[in-house]
Amino acid sequence: VRKYRQLNKRITIKDIAKELGVHHSTVSRALRDDPQVNPDTKKKVLETAEKKGYQINMNALQLRGNINNTIALIVPNIRHTFFTNIIGNITNLANVKGYVISIFESNEKYELEREIINTVIKYNFSGVIVSMAKNSLNCGHFKLLKDYGIPLVFFDRMCPDIQSPRVLVNNYESAFQAIELLIGRGYRRIAHVTGPLHLNVFQERQKGYLEALAKHSKQYQESHIINKGFSVDDGKKAMQLFYEKSEKPDAILSSSSVLTIGILLKAKEKGLVIPKDVALISFGSEQITGLIEPEITTIVQPEDKIAEASFNEMLKLLNGQTTNNEGFTRRINTYVTMGNSI
Amino acid sequence: VRKYRQLNKRITIKDIAKELGVHHSTVSRALRDDPQVNPDTKKKVLETAEKKGYQINMNALQLRGNINNTIALIVPNIRHTFFTNIIGNITNLANVKGYVISIFESNEKYELEREIINTVIKYNFSGVIVSMAKNSLNCGHFKLLKDYGIPLVFFDRMCPDIQSPRVLVNNYESAFQAIELLIGRGYRRIAHVTGPLHLNVFQERQKGYLEALAKHSKQYQESHIINKGFSVDDGKKAMQLFYEKSEKPDAILSSSSVLTIGILLKAKEKGLVIPKDVALISFGSEQITGLIEPEITTIVQPEDKIAEASFNEMLKLLNGQTTNNEGFTRRINTYVTMGNSI
DNA sequence: CTGTTAGCGCTTTCAG
DNA sequence: CTGAAAGCGCTAACAG
């Protein structure tokens, strides 16, 4: 473990105490506006603190057992628009309430996620908001968090065997309704491009897809389930595969906005016109309308609401209004922005 | 100051010591792989620590004066693609090297930025990477950081009176060359939409714009300088204003990608065809080519390189390879991606 | 109203 | 090789 570079000495309550000829406990009291302190003393202490640029040392506080205001936010992929927006929204909410957010990226890896959890414990973070890594089939590291009594909230992707608040979108209904929307518009051969089914988001969407097809007695059923990452290239490949089959889809539901980009690029490459040759509806974020061609009909996951709900659940845990042992789920509704892609 | 919710007791070296019947200082040594410790003892300690899920308490370490691995990253606006990408890149680099990044948003406000600096000091962050808020004309809070000996690196937007490493793009040359590019293509009335000139980025770009015009003896010179935020609406307004003048521009340089969106939307609203009616070149990020219509010719600020350079400068400061008193500037070169907007 | 004391968890002398 | 003791900055209980 390295030592400090030579820091200019930190100003402590003892420095202030010495300057004023009082005891440092008096300074401590004055700074915390203890009513017992003589107003004159208090005034002098505050002035001196201000003059010297005193800042309390949170490490000392924390060591004594006072809680801090730091929350760890763990996301699988920091570049993904969805997570970027979540980060932005949560950071804002937190900063306003005086909380400090640290961002960690698991890179979809179990090992990294476990390491991050260890770091979180080492640094005494007050709480953890997490969207689980794709490769985290084992959830033991989250149990460790609970051993240390650190509040935990899942959003979007959750671990089914951990009892903690979960903020999820209504994946099943959203997919179901999207398929019905396509069927209503006359599409008959609807395909689904999606991620691995061990993740709740994709499982629920796939279920919605299948059950909507079943309800309307549709025979055609073609899911391309991507297990290893969800890259633009994976979207391209899925599209390629669909078009190598004898029966080609006339509409596609994409469960990831990154995959959608691949689908669009491959469609362009193949000279397919959307929605004439193939329709497309995609899970994703609100777009800047009017600039992207074609405008994609999007099942919007409202990141602001997800962020707010997640942060609020965390606040409740931190304030002891709920306990960490409640495994309830809050569902955030999606909405559809109509483009010209279906 | 609130107290802990009832935490499950944290495992400490004393717990391990008690279980093994040794002194906690021995445990401490064993955990740090001190060669003086008896291999048997060491083995037992490590096993017990593992079994109990021991994690070191960084607060205790920090209180003793050991440095931690936390870096604060302060950005003016977390939703801006540029900053989002910087955040992503720096977080990645940091996580790999075992550093923890906390994100703060100043919301372009001086007061908030000052508050953040105070928080950074309170929490003993090891370093600060910052892009300055628009409203921070006063730089006293950054001086406070130096009083506390906390390493500071500026990127993109810097405070001229603070001597710290700065990572900036070659704004002047980029703007200059963009204008020459437009002139080379035959454009004669080139306008500039930009932000407040007290920020180095916009000042340098405006200088490049003006000097390129002067070099080629162009009379037309129309800058719309936006002082209060750089919203989509501001971009629209700028466009509106240009088109209310008698002499309308035939090309525009936009110094912000957000403004560019406004410009595009207003152009669409007015039925202006790009680049036939007006050409457009914009500072911004790498786009997903092939999907946005028209594809904007973009002066790309390579966020990955900026992030890497900033983080590396921070590492150097943390490792004492440079001192915080060197106010040198590292310039990162932009490059142009050709679209069909000029 | 203020000072004294102890202790949070850890490392680091200094003694054995 | 290991234990004892001190101390990082702060607060809280206790004693004046």
Side-chain angles (χ1 to χ4, degrees):
Chain A
V1 189
R2 277 165 307 141
K3 305 293 300 288
Y4 263 127
R5 289 156 303 97
Q6 189 49 49
L7 285 197
N8 311 18
K9 204 173 113 354
R10 185 183 187 97
I11 295 118
T12 71
I13 51 173
K14 284 187 184 168
D15 296 327
I16 299 172
K18 200 188 287 173
E19 176 148 337
L20 296 176
V22 297
H23 197 263
H24 67 267
S25 57
T26 304
V27 174
S28 168
R29 282 190 275 258
L31 288 171
R32 278 171 301 122
D33 206 21
D34 189 319
Q36 291 193 329
V37 179
N38 182 313
D40 277 3
T41 319
K42 193 176 284 181
K43 187 153 159 284
K44 271 189 255 167
V45 167
L46 293 179
E47 279 169 8
T48 314
E50 171 74 15
K51 188 187 77 190
K52 290 186 166 268
Y54 170 80
Q55 298 289 343
I56 199 168
N57 187 338
M58 293 304 280
N59 290 128
L61 271 199
Q62 288 174 234
L63 191 57
R64 291 197 75 251
N66 295 65
I67 66 160
N68 60 31
N69 287 322
T70 56
I71 295 171
L73 175 56
I74 311 176
V75 297
N77 183 341
I78 219 165
R79 271 150 237 270
H80 196 302
T81 321
F82 174 73
F83 292 117
T84 304
N85 287 336
I86 294 284
I87 291 172
N89 280 293
I90 290 188
T91 304
N92 273 326
L93 291 167
N95 283 187
V96 168
K97 294 249 182 197
Y99 280 84
V100 174
I101 297 285
S102 291
I103 314 289
F104 298 89
E105 183 183 33
S106 65
N107 245 311
E108 304 281 13
K109 295 199 189 81
Y110 164 68
E111 293 75 17
L112 251 170
E113 198 172 73
R114 207 182 45 185
E115 262 318 297
I116 292 168
I117 296 293
N118 287 342
T119 302
V120 161
I121 295 171
K122 282 193 187 68
Y123 280 94
N124 290 288
F125 279 88
S126 287
V128 178
I129 301 176
V130 62
S131 189
M132 218 181 48
K134 181 169 71 67
N135 294 350
S136 285
L137 306 173
N138 181 335
C139 288
H141 49 317
F142 293 120
K143 292 223 180 70
L144 187 62
L145 270 185
K146 313 203 83 170
D147 289 346
Y148 274 89
I150 299 173
L152 174 64
V153 171
F154 286 105
F155 73 94
D156 197 49
R157 301 194 201 160
M158 54 94 170
C159 196
D161 22 324
I162 302 282
Q163 296 290 90
S164 267
R166 297 155 186 163
V167 178
L168 311 175
V169 298
N170 58 344
N171 294 299
Y172 172 81
E173 294 80 2
S174 300
F176 195 101
Q177 287 158 17
I179 300 305
E180 286 204 314
L181 176 61
L182 290 171
I183 291 174
R185 298 243 177 151
Y187 295 103
R188 296 281 159 263
R189 298 182 311 283
I190 304 169
H192 186 203
V193 186
T194 190
L197 301 187
H198 73 268
L199 288 179
N200 56 299
V201 269
F202 299 121
Q203 188 182 62
E204 291 167 6
R205 289 171 194 178
Q206 173 73 352
K207 187 153 174 266
Y209 165 73
L210 291 176
E211 294 192 1
L213 290 184
K215 178 182 167 196
H216 294 271
S217 316
K218 292 282 168 276
Q219 306 296 319
Y220 185 95
Q221 184 251 295
E222 198 72 64
S223 304
H224 187 81
I225 295 161
I226 292 147
N227 277 298
K228 310 191 179 171
F230 330 95
S231 64
V232 171
D233 253 15
D234 287 317
K236 284 191 192 173
K237 270 184 217 148
M239 195 68 175
Q240 178 68 38
L241 276 171
F242 287 150
Y243 277 79
E244 281 169 1
K245 305 246 166 142
S246 55
E247 243 197 331
K248 291 160 186 45
D250 61 4
I252 295 173
L253 166 65
S254 168
S255 275
S256 154
S257 56
V258 178
L259 294 172
T260 300
I261 291 168
I263 293 170
L264 287 170
L265 289 173
K266 178 59 87 175
K268 196 166 190 181
E269 187 187 316
K270 286 190 172 294
L272 296 167
V273 177
I274 293 171
K276 193 171 72 66
D277 298 321
V278 60
L280 183 59
I281 186 166
S282 172
F283 278 85
S285 305
E286 185 91 55
Q287 309 287 328
I288 298 144
T289 47
L291 291 182
I292 291 168
E293 210 54 58
E295 262 179 58
I296 306 300
T297 297
T298 304
I299 304 160
V300 178
Q301 313 173 74
E303 288 102 348
D304 51 349
K305 295 214 179 88
I306 299 169
E308 199 184 341
S310 306
F311 184 66
N312 284 341
E313 290 305 325
M314 177 50 65
L315 281 186
K316 278 195 216 160
L317 287 173
L318 290 170
N319 296 329
Q321 291 169 28
T322 48
T323 76
N324 212 3
N325 290 320
E326 300 179 26
F328 68 93
T329 300
R330 257 182 83 176
R331 291 281 175 181
I332 307 293
N333 289 330
T334 59
Y335 60 89
V336 175
T337 57
M338 281 298 168
N340 48 21
S341 72
I342 65 168
Chain B
V1 189
R2 278 167 305 143
K3 304 294 300 289
Y4 262 130
R5 288 157 305 97
Q6 188 49 49
L7 285 197
N8 311 17
K9 202 173 115 350
R10 184 181 188 100
I11 295 117
T12 72
I13 51 173
K14 283 188 184 167
D15 297 326
I16 299 172
K18 201 188 284 174
E19 176 149 338
L20 296 176
V22 296
H23 197 263
H24 68 267
S25 57
T26 304
V27 174
S28 168
R29 282 190 274 259
L31 288 171
R32 276 170 303 118
D33 206 22
D34 189 317
Q36 290 193 328
V37 179
N38 181 313
D40 278 2
T41 320
K42 193 177 283 181
K43 187 153 160 285
K44 271 189 255 169
V45 167
L46 293 179
E47 280 169 8
T48 314
E50 171 73 15
K51 189 188 75 189
K52 290 186 168 268
Y54 170 79
Q55 298 289 343
I56 199 170
N57 187 339
M58 294 304 280
N59 289 128
L61 272 199
Q62 288 174 233
L63 190 56
R64 289 196 77 252
N66 295 65
I67 66 160
N68 59 32
N69 288 321
T70 55
I71 295 171
L73 175 56
I74 311 176
V75 297
N77 183 341
I78 219 165
R79 271 150 237 270
H80 196 302
T81 321
F82 174 73
F83 293 117
T84 304
N85 288 336
I86 294 284
I87 291 173
N89 280 294
I90 290 188
T91 304
N92 273 326
L93 291 166
N95 283 187
V96 168
K97 294 250 181 195
Y99 281 85
V100 174
I101 298 286
S102 291
I103 315 288
F104 298 89
E105 183 183 33
S106 66
N107 245 312
E108 303 282 12
K109 295 199 189 82
Y110 165 68
E111 293 76 16
L112 251 170
E113 197 172 73
R114 205 182 46 185
E115 262 318 297
I116 292 167
I117 296 292
N118 287 342
T119 302
V120 161
I121 296 171
K122 282 192 186 70
Y123 279 94
N124 289 288
F125 279 88
S126 287
V128 178
I129 302 176
V130 62
S131 189
M132 219 182 47
K134 181 169 69 69
N135 295 348
S136 287
L137 305 174
N138 180 335
C139 288
H141 49 317
F142 293 119
K143 291 223 180 71
L144 187 61
L145 270 185
K146 313 203 84 171
D147 288 347
Y148 274 89
I150 299 173
L152 174 64
V153 171
F154 286 105
F155 73 93
D156 197 49
R157 302 193 200 160
M158 55 93 170
C159 196
D161 23 325
I162 302 283
Q163 295 291 88
S164 266
R166 297 156 185 164
V167 177
L168 311 175
V169 298
N170 58 344
N171 294 299
Y172 173 81
E173 294 80 2
S174 300
F176 195 100
Q177 286 159 17
I179 300 305
E180 287 205 313
L181 176 61
L182 290 171
I183 292 173
R185 298 244 178 152
Y187 296 104
R188 294 282 160 261
R189 299 182 308 284
I190 305 170
H192 186 203
V193 186
T194 191
L197 301 186
H198 72 268
L199 288 179
N200 55 301
V201 269
F202 299 120
Q203 188 182 63
E204 291 167 6
R205 289 171 194 178
Q206 173 74 352
K207 187 153 174 265
Y209 165 74
L210 292 176
E211 295 194 359
L213 290 184
K215 179 182 166 196
H216 294 271
S217 317
K218 293 282 170 271
Q219 307 295 321
Y220 185 95
Q221 184 252 298
E222 199 72 65
S223 303
H224 187 81
I225 294 162
I226 292 148
N227 277 299
K228 310 193 177 171
F230 330 95
S231 64
V232 171
D233 253 15
D234 287 317
K236 284 191 193 173
K237 270 184 218 148
M239 194 68 174
Q240 179 68 39
L241 275 171
F242 287 150
Y243 277 79
E244 281 169 2
K245 306 247 164 141
S246 56
E247 243 196 332
K248 293 163 183 46
D250 60 4
I252 295 173
L253 166 65
S254 167
S255 275
S256 154
S257 56
V258 177
L259 294 173
T260 299
I261 292 168
I263 292 170
L264 286 170
L265 289 173
K266 178 60 85 176
K268 196 164 189 180
E269 186 187 316
K270 286 190 172 292
L272 295 168
V273 177
I274 293 172
K276 193 170 70 66
D277 298 321
V278 59
L280 183 60
I281 185 165
S282 172
F283 278 85
S285 305
E286 185 90 58
Q287 310 286 328
I288 297 141
T289 47
L291 293 181
I292 291 168
E293 211 51 59
E295 261 179 58
I296 306 301
T297 297
T298 305
I299 304 160
V300 178
Q301 313 173 75
E303 288 102 348
D304 51 348
K305 295 215 179 86
I306 299 169
E308 200 184 340
S310 306
F311 184 67
N312 284 341
E313 289 305 326
M314 176 51 64
L315 281 186
K316 277 195 217 158
L317 287 174
L318 290 170
N319 296 329
Q321 289 168 30
T322 49
T323 77
N324 212 5
N325 291 320
E326 300 180 28
F328 68 92
T329 301
R330 257 182 83 174
R331 290 281 175 182
I332 307 294
N333 288 330
T334 60
Y335 60 89
V336 175
T337 58
M338 280 297 167
N340 48 21
S341 71
I342 66 167

